[in-house]
Amino acid sequence: GTGGMGEQDGMEGVDEQDEPQGVGEQGGIAGADEAAIDLCDMRHLPRSKFWGPRWKELSQRLENHGCERVRDAAVMPKSTPGVSEKNLCLNAFLHLMASFGIIYHCGADGEATEFAEGERVLEDPRKAKLQRVGETVDFAFGKWRGFRIHSGQGLRFRQALASLCQVELRDVGDYPAHQLGFSEKDFKNQIRDNFGRAPDKSMWSRFGFSPCPGDRHNAWSMALEGEEGWFCVHPYTVEYPLGGAGGAHE
């Protein structure tokens, strides 16, 4: 629906000459960058740990997007266990961020690579791998192998992510510096837990990235800034079948 859009009425006449003066609510981001944040902004919905309402809305917003990868992500099917609404949201979000030039797909070395070797990804291929004990998994949900935030785009990425996750992003100085404007709880839940890895039985419930290079203090922060770090996948072998003992909880 179009509910909640009223506050944007009358904004069409604002042009860029008004922009450099100061920093607006969203950090003074103009044009396309503001659209990137608006498209994934879920703060008008009742705040909830459940991602179903957010996935429904994000899917509808993006199903006719100009970028094919974003459209494919927006209609990717859910299946439980294995393909959660949270990971579907994060997958579409990452493709949206890539379409706006905020992030790019990369390999374990942080160098730019073509996503999925140029193939379309219409469903999550990780689920099938997680169903087979002994299988090596070398990509995250949706076939992501890694991503890196373009230089200078860290704040835009964090603003968009906070709006999707329905949390507040504050000035970096408001919290310990490594949290980059997120509260301690939000940094753990929305960054490390959502994008990270889990013990084998519930690996499917997380997106599946590790921060790189991972041997450094505050590796997650460095990946989230993008200047010296990135997100990648450390391959692992499946020891318990998806949906096996203890594996079917969402």
Side-chain angles (χ1 to χ4, degrees):
T2 54
M5 299 297 285
E7 62 262 43
Q8 294 180 6
D9 292 349
M11 290 298 287
E12 286 84 49
V14 178
D15 71 35
E16 267 136 321
Q17 287 152 7
D18 300 326
E19 202 53 47
Q21 306 271 313
V23 176
E25 267 186 312
Q26 297 279 15
I29 293 166
D33 302 309
E34 208 162 88
I37 293 168
D38 288 346
L39 273 170
C40 46
D41 194 343
M42 296 294 156
R43 289 172 294 193
H44 61 289
L45 291 174
R47 189 167 174 185
S48 170
K49 66 178 183 178
F50 298 109
W51 287 71
R54 280 179 273 177
W55 172 236
K56 183 179 178 184
E57 181 135 345
L58 191 65
S59 179
Q60 288 172 347
R61 287 182 193 175
L62 301 182
E63 63 186 357
N64 296 312
H65 191 269
C67 170
E68 182 178 73
R69 290 214 180 277
V70 175
R71 291 197 304 274
D72 287 347
V75 296
M76 190 177 279
K78 175 184 185 296
S79 63
T80 304
V83 181
S84 68
E85 287 154 328
K86 176 178 74 178
N87 283 336
L88 289 168
C89 276
L90 294 174
N91 179 55
F93 167 78
L94 290 177
H95 282 296
L96 184 68
M97 294 297 101
S99 79
F100 278 108
I102 293 172
I103 69 168
Y104 57 93
H105 186 260
C106 71
D109 58 2
E111 296 296 316
T113 58
E114 188 176 22
F115 184 85
E117 293 78 48
E119 298 286 316
R120 290 178 72 183
V121 179
L122 302 175
E123 57 183 280
D124 167 49
R126 184 178 67 168
K127 175 173 177 167
K129 281 187 170 269
L130 291 178
Q131 288 172 320
R132 295 194 291 270
V133 171
E135 184 79 45
T136 298
V137 182
D138 59 357
F139 50 73
F141 183 89
K143 214 167 186 181
W144 284 85
R145 293 186 186 277
F147 76 91
R148 193 165 190 164
I149 298 169
H150 276 286
S151 182
Q153 297 289 329
L155 177 59
R156 288 168 181 167
F157 180 84
R158 296 192 297 275
Q159 287 172 323
L161 181 61
S163 72
L164 176 72
C165 294
Q166 303 177 308
V167 300
E168 184 182 16
L169 185 70
R170 310 214 4 201
D171 291 334
V172 171
D174 287 358
Y175 294 119
H178 74 275
Q179 291 163 212
L180 299 173
F182 289 97
S183 71
E184 184 178 4
K185 177 184 171 191
D186 290 338
F187 190 83
K188 178 189 180 295
N189 293 345
Q190 313 301 342
I191 311 299
R192 298 180 60 147
D193 287 359
N194 284 352
F195 283 106
R197 294 172 55 151
D200 196 332
K201 289 181 190 175
S202 52
M203 186 70 88
W204 67 272
S205 68
R206 305 270 176 91
F207 208 85
F209 287 127
S210 298
C212 232
D215 55 353
R216 297 184 299 193
H217 184 56
N218 293 337
W220 282 100
S221 309
M222 296 176 87
L224 201 56
E225 284 186 296
E227 304 297 335
E228 297 176 51
W230 58 94
F231 295 87
C232 75
V233 176
H234 296 313
Y236 55 92
T237 302
V238 178
E239 293 178 21
Y240 302 91
L242 171 69
H249 305 295
E250 186 162 357

